[in-house]
Amino acid sequence: MYAGHTPWVHQTVPPPAPPQPPDTARANFRWTSSADRIDPFAEGPHYGPVLEPFLVRAVGATIRINPLLSPPTDSHEDYLRWNMTFPTSTCYRTTGARRSWIKGREAPATFPRMTYIRIISRSFPWMIAIKARRKNIGVTCGEVVEAISAYMHGDVAKKEYEGVSHRLRREIWAAYQHNRSTDSNVPGGHLGEQLRRLDWLGSNSRWGGVVRSDDYVKEACGDVLPCTFELKCIPSYPLSPEEANEQQRMARHADRSRSRPRSTGPRPRSAGSGSDSNEGLDTETSTREDESEYE
């Protein structure tokens, strides 16, 4: 062997290169970009979890309300208009005037989606509980509006009416008489003689949107209850002749729809046990024997 000579060795197959780690940054970018293109308030069960109220605090979720249910703003012109003394068939979107609200009824009311929410207001003393009919979708915008309407058309117990101040009692009674007058801006006599919760609204009978208001929830309930929101009720205004005719037309259509014969059978009384428009609503009130004449 000569100096500087490299000894001969058998040729061997080089070991395989270690596997490269996955390109998680690129994968995450693709996933995030795809998710960002999905509207968090899209209809259907395909996007986002559906939370029970008790999980909201546990996971630190920040609840957002669907803009369709929110009050109008300078930058948001697509919202609901509705006089809550009339049926929900008279509710319409400002981007689809002269047509009863259809698009968006099945959209989730919140993000994340919730199986149950509560509504309170400065304009009435009750809490409206709304349960989702389909837990895999959560409470929808349509369910919120229908629940509020069903609750507002419920009867007021005599002891509830007598438990308020004389000033408020006079205001409620004046609204009761006005709502049953021949004025085109009110439903009229088909409301019947019973005092209804919608009479409690007085002149603030127009839908003003649903908002998060932790300060007011704490003031009214003693604590910041999860999934509890405030309904804004705003003053009503006289309708133009065209608006009045259109609202009366839609109300007559709703009356005809309600008067059509339905299949017989016991009507559900508990939340989530039936299939009509009151399904999933907590509308329990005082007993019938307390519901009599008020004046």
Side-chain angles (χ1 to χ4, degrees), residues 14 36 78 118 148 154 160 180 204 216 257 264 281 290 295:
D36 286 348
D78 185 13
R118 290 173 288 229
I148 292 172
E160 292 177 313
R180 288 154 184 79
N204 295 326
Y216 176 63
S257 299
T264 59
L281 311 184
D290 288 327
E295 286 286 299

Side-chain angles (χ1 to χ4, degrees), residues 37 42 128 130 147 167 173 190 225 248 252 283:
R37 287 195 297 268
I128 305 175
I130 308 170
R167 180 187 60 80
W173 188 248
H190 83 269
L225 303 179
Q248 290 175 349
R252 287 194 299 269
T283 57

Side-chain angles (χ1 to χ4, degrees), residues 145-168:
V145 170
E146 294 294 341
I148 292 172
S149 178
Y151 201 86
M152 287 294 101
H153 280 79
D155 298 341
V156 174
K158 183 177 181 180
K159 63 182 180 182
E160 292 177 313
Y161 176 73
E162 292 179 343
V164 301
S165 67
H166 289 288
R167 180 187 60 80
L168 180 56

Side-chain angles (χ1 to χ4, degrees), residues 94-117:
T94 52
T95 55
R98 303 188 65 81
R99 184 183 185 188
S100 183
W101 172 39
I102 298 176
K103 185 178 180 181
R105 279 183 173 266
E106 296 300 314
T110 63
F111 179 81
R113 304 168 188 232
M114 306 302 306
T115 62
Y116 176 93
I117 67 172

Side-chain angles (χ1 to χ4, degrees), residues 118-179:
R118 290 173 288 229
I119 299 292
I120 62 175
S121 177
R122 302 170 197 263
S123 298
F124 54 79
W126 307 286
M127 176 181 286
I128 305 175
I130 308 170
K131 295 181 180 179
R133 291 195 296 266
R134 294 160 293 178
K135 285 196 172 183
N136 65 322
I137 292 179
V139 176
T140 65
C141 293
E143 288 172 344
V144 171
V145 170
E146 294 294 341
I148 292 172
S149 178
Y151 201 86
M152 287 294 101
H153 280 79
D155 298 341
V156 174
K158 183 177 181 180
K159 63 182 180 182
E160 292 177 313
Y161 176 73
E162 292 179 343
V164 301
S165 67
H166 289 288
R167 180 187 60 80
L168 180 56
R169 200 181 305 175
R170 287 194 299 269
E171 292 176 0
I172 294 171
W173 188 248
Y176 168 91
Q177 294 176 313
H178 177 63
N179 288 336

